[in-house]
Amino acid sequence: MRKVVLILGATSAIARAAAGEFAEQGYDVYLAGRDAEELARIAADLAIRYRIKAGWGIFAAESLSDHGRFFAQAISNMGEMDGVVLAMGYLGDPIAARNFDTGGAEVILINFTAAASILGHCANYLEARKQGFIIGIGSVAGDRGRQSNYTYGAAKGALALYLQGLRNRLYDSGVRVITVKPGFVDTAMTYGMPGLFLVATPQYVGRRIVTALHKSADVIYVPNFWRYIMWIIRLIPEPVFKRLKL
Amino acid sequence: MGNQAGVLKCSMSGWGRFPVEECESVRPERYRDLTASAGRQIARGQGRSYGDAALGKRVILTERVNRLLAFDAVAGVLRAEAGVTLAEVLAAIMPHGWFLPVTPGTQWASLGGCVAADVHGKNHHHDGTFGQHVLELEMILADASRVTCSATKNQALFWATIGGMGLTGIIGEVNLKLRRIGSSYLRVRHHPAKNLAQTFALFGDPGLDDQYSVAWIDCLAGGKQLGRSILMCAHHAAPEELPAALQGSAAVGTSRSVAFDLAAAVLNPLTIQLFNAVYYHRQGNKRAPYFAHYDHYFYPLDRIADWNRLYGKRGFVQYQCVVPEAGALTAVSALLQTVSQSRRPSFLAVLKRLGVQNAALLSFPLAGYTLALDIPMRDRGVFDLLRTLDAIVLQHGGRVYLAKDAVLTPQTFRAMYPRYRDWQRIKQAVDPAHGFESSLSRRLGMGYA
């Protein structure tokens, strides 16, 4: 029996790498995103390279009421679903995102509200099957609010809490829920950005996402040292932290 | 700092690590973002051209626009985005019994780069260049339009793009006709030659000819031994040719990295003469045919990751020229003598017989012999040597390979490429504002009269 994984937000470099890693493991994939041309190209690529079945469908994250129909269509296209990778994300312009009327609402909608909405449908399905996995890609930005991108950070932080709750709920039904927190990744989102350090490749993040399934950790940082960096950052007392320019 | 979002300023070079230039780079991930902006730019695949062909004010990295789009395993046709490497293509097509119709000496080149340089391989005398196996291209032109071209549709654009060094537009997609093979192995035979005349005689012997042929030249051997070589001929082995031990096996090569810059001083006439002498005797003594995995046969240097670092920080120039059949022996002899007398050690010297010139206006190959030499950039004296070599090539009606060049002058270039005027008219028509410009094209004034 072949396994199938749903990739939400499949056109990002991290998602494409993760899909490739799953395909290499023999999974069929169903790619969801809003860019039909890109989805078709990535699906064709995965099917040729890994000789798997790669389907795709348009997923409009902001249309929450459409999520149920979308998920049902994905199931009917692929026959079944063994797991989900939530890779969609929207950084936006951090300054504009300070206010909801200039972009903040969209950042919260895509990174948290829509993510929670579609994962709700996935969770119900997997809970009923009593197996499978949900892998959510959060961000180290969600570990502590900082002036540079706190709207994005708040949404990713909320997503991490939501995944934590799902993990607790789905434990008894044998469904794994894994939170992945990448640091800086070499993608279109960060290309040319000043002040980056210890940048990981999308391939590395993709590989870690898939290997996490064979390990026991519930929350992984990619690369690992971000766990310690963020541990230190969380330890800084708020009276000190609020004075920092981060 | 000073970077704007999506644009990275960095120093870049070609594979020869000379010259090094400050460039702005962008790296699209979506096909529709693979497009020209205002100003001057050039697409860069894997940076495997040696000189300044993939350098410029702004460089568009195509490495992430690298999807395989359609593969007909029955007809042997692959359509892919041009940023994909030959290695990735091989990984997908080999299991189905297909191979590249023409391959350069590295599998880390991009499809787009192979088209732009109209690369050739050891089978040029039978199968022509890479571009001759391209069924169709999708180009992204300066006005952002997507245009398909082939030998029957928009032919002018097609033959100006093949070998056109990326200057007609961005090569977006390549539709390639593949070669059917019976195994992953090649049946190889070595034929030693004591001097250049004998080398030419071997090349001309129809009894020795095979699908692939190339001669490795010990270019430090002088005097009566000038041009002593080993002619290596091969073809894809049919399954029934293979010894039992190899049937059904698929050995995969590994790579190791030269982790540091070897000091330029380590490569001197003595150490290289020693290497060449040992290599000549070892390889020359392999008289019986043997079977080589395609990885070892076609891509020996890929097995030494970053072998270009062997020449140290100052880099090197790979000088590759072709001279027409008539007078080739005199010309190659003069070239080898000049290099030998200059006491500038060349690690690698390769001679190959080429077949007829194709319809691509700036394509390098022509019926004759091509010689390739690595020349380390040790001092400015190298330029004098290269000018001397250029003069010999020009005098014999030959030309230098743009994909490897870093030093030609606009005048010499025009004299070497007599079809340049025709190419320039097409360039003028598709890119009148010179939006596509590389450091190579700026140096040679390509696109201008």
Side-chain angles (χ1 to χ4, degrees), chain A residues 2-244:
Chain A
R2 294 192 69 87
K3 290 187 167 185
V4 184
V5 62
L6 167 66
I7 313 276
L8 295 158
T11 58
S12 77
I14 293 177
R16 188 185 159 202
E21 291 290 332
F22 274 109
E24 192 159 22
Q25 303 287 313
Y27 280 81
D28 288 334
V29 298
Y30 190 77
L31 310 176
R34 64 179 78 242
D35 186 335
E37 185 184 25
E38 282 301 299
L39 290 168
R41 284 169 183 270
I42 296 169
D45 181 66
L46 293 170
I48 296 170
R49 284 185 201 239
Y50 303 104
R51 288 178 271 176
I52 54 142
K53 181 180 172 191
W56 61 273
I58 297 289
F59 173 60
E62 70 284 357
S63 308
L64 303 181
S65 60
D66 198 39
H67 287 186
R69 186 207 56 78
F70 167 80
F71 189 70
Q73 176 207 311
I75 300 288
S76 87
N77 274 347
M78 302 305 285
E80 58 166 344
M81 208 61 81
D82 296 277
V84 179
V85 176
L86 178 105
M88 62 195 201
Y90 173 60
L91 183 59
D93 171 4
I95 305 294
R98 288 174 178 179
N99 296 98
F100 270 40
D101 53 353
T102 55
E106 219 183 333
V107 168
I108 300 283
L109 176 63
I110 302 299
N111 292 303
F112 176 65
T113 316
S117 163
I118 185 65
L119 287 184
H121 293 283
C122 301
N124 295 346
Y125 172 82
L126 294 173
E127 187 175 41
R129 294 186 87 213
K130 296 204 171 298
Q131 59 175 328
F133 60 88
I134 291 173
I135 300 175
I137 301 183
S139 169
V140 296
D143 278 12
R144 191 155 193 180
R146 296 169 299 123
Q147 62 174 310
S148 57
N149 64 355
Y150 56 85
T151 308
Y152 177 78
K156 286 293 192 185
L159 176 65
L161 270 186
Y162 183 90
L163 290 167
Q164 196 173 41
L166 267 188
R167 182 177 303 123
N168 191 204
R169 167 187 157 194
L170 297 176
Y171 178 76
D172 282 340
S173 33
V175 177
R176 283 286 303 279
V177 178
I178 300 167
T179 309
V180 178
K181 295 183 182 181
F184 295 126
V185 187
D186 184 18
T187 64
M189 204 193 250
T190 58
Y191 195 71
M193 215 183 245
L196 300 188
F197 53 94
L198 304 168
V199 179
T201 65
Q203 286 69 29
Y204 177 74
V205 181
R207 207 173 317 126
R208 287 291 310 279
I209 286 171
V210 177
T211 53
L213 273 181
H214 307 299
K215 298 184 177 178
S216 61
D218 298 307
V219 180
I220 64 163
Y221 286 80
V222 185
N224 276 325
F225 50 75
W226 280 97
R227 179 181 296 279
Y228 309 105
I229 294 173
M230 295 320 293
W231 179 69
I232 290 164
I233 285 181
R234 279 197 311 272
L235 275 184
I236 300 170
E238 195 64 12
V240 177
F241 196 80
K242 71 182 180 190
R243 293 163 210 271
L244 301 178

Side-chain angles (χ1 to χ4, degrees), chain B residues 397-409:
Chain B
R399 60 172 71 127
V400 163
Y401 194 8
L402 294 182
K404 300 190 173 179
D405 172 56
V407 296
L408 274 185
T409 63

